[in-house]
Amino acid sequence: MNIKVSSTEKGNNKGSCQQLVDYLNKENEKKDIDTYRHFFSHTEDMVTSYEVQSAIDSNHRKLSKKDSKFFMLTISPSELELWHIKCSEKALRDYTREVMNAYAANFNKGLKGEDLVWFGKIEEYRIDKKTKVPKPGLQWHVHVVVSRRDNQQ
């Protein structure tokens, strides 16, 4: 399991998260409505892009224009781990929720994952940046957009 925290991959994180949310919907462009993959949160499995952007963008009390408003975590299970869970979306969502509980606890403020404003998005593919060809093997991973502020502040 590899977990990476970054400012963002697309755009910057000092303003709206719209560009990142749009980017994370890239796999849905090739899907019909029945196979569309939604964002999820600590308590919900089907969250729209609009709800994600609205929740993250409106949760920046007491932050200046120069402050980061959100971050992105990437949770990348190994191919062996993906085989173990049979590439189950439910298992990946449940694991992500546990990761976010641990992430919140590490702030040492008594927070749980449900106290944070965050949304995950499961992706199946990775594209090689040089060749523009999908990488081989199981590439399922989860991107998590998390607000800098918790939902209490």
Side-chain angles (χ1 to χ4, degrees):
M1 181 68 58
N2 182 24
I3 299 175
K4 178 176 93 172
V5 179
S6 59
S7 300
T8 63
E9 284 185 16
K10 295 288 179 186
N12 75 47
N13 65 344
K14 297 182 184 351
S16 174
C17 67
Q18 179 181 358
Q19 190 174 7
L20 177 60
V21 170
D22 290 345
Y23 170 75
L24 293 177
N25 270 320
K26 65 188 174 292
E27 286 188 7
N28 283 333
E29 293 172 4
K30 299 173 186 167
K31 296 183 179 202
D32 60 34
I33 195 71
D34 296 332
T35 58
Y36 191 88
R37 187 169 283 129
H38 293 275
F39 285 87
F40 64 96
S41 68
H42 202 78
T43 56
E44 297 179 52
D45 289 342
M46 294 180 66
V47 181
T48 68
S49 299
Y50 175 79
E51 292 169 312
V52 171
Q53 182 184 344
S54 178
I56 297 289
D57 286 353
S58 65
N59 193 44
H60 54 79
R61 295 164 308 286
K62 299 182 183 179
L63 294 176
S64 76
K65 290 182 181 181
K66 295 179 184 179
D67 290 333
S68 296
K69 309 295 188 290
F70 59 92
F71 297 96
M72 186 173 73
L73 285 69
T74 305
I75 302 169
S76 303
S78 70
E79 196 163 358
L80 183 61
E81 291 165 323
L82 290 169
W83 277 110
H84 177 73
I85 65 166
K86 299 177 177 89
C87 290
S88 162
E89 288 189 44
K90 181 184 180 331
L92 276 174
R93 285 192 304 265
D94 291 345
Y95 182 75
T96 300
R97 290 172 174 133
E98 289 305 314
V99 167
M100 294 310 292
N101 280 331
Y103 178 83
N106 279 307
F107 290 110
N108 296 319
K109 294 182 178 183
L111 297 173
K112 298 177 185 171
E114 62 199 37
D115 299 322
L116 303 177
V117 178
W118 68 269
F119 301 91
K121 180 76 178 227
I122 296 172
E123 292 189 343
E124 288 182 56
Y125 308 102
R126 291 183 187 277
I127 305 295
D128 186 293
K129 292 179 182 173
K130 292 180 184 175
T131 65
K132 307 293 185 211
V133 174
K135 291 184 178 182
L138 294 175
Q139 296 293 330
W140 288 51
H141 57 287
V142 182
H143 290 289
V144 178
V145 182
V146 59
S147 176
R148 179 170 174 180
R149 295 285 192 196
D150 65 36
N151 61 13
Q152 305 281 326
Q153 297 179 346

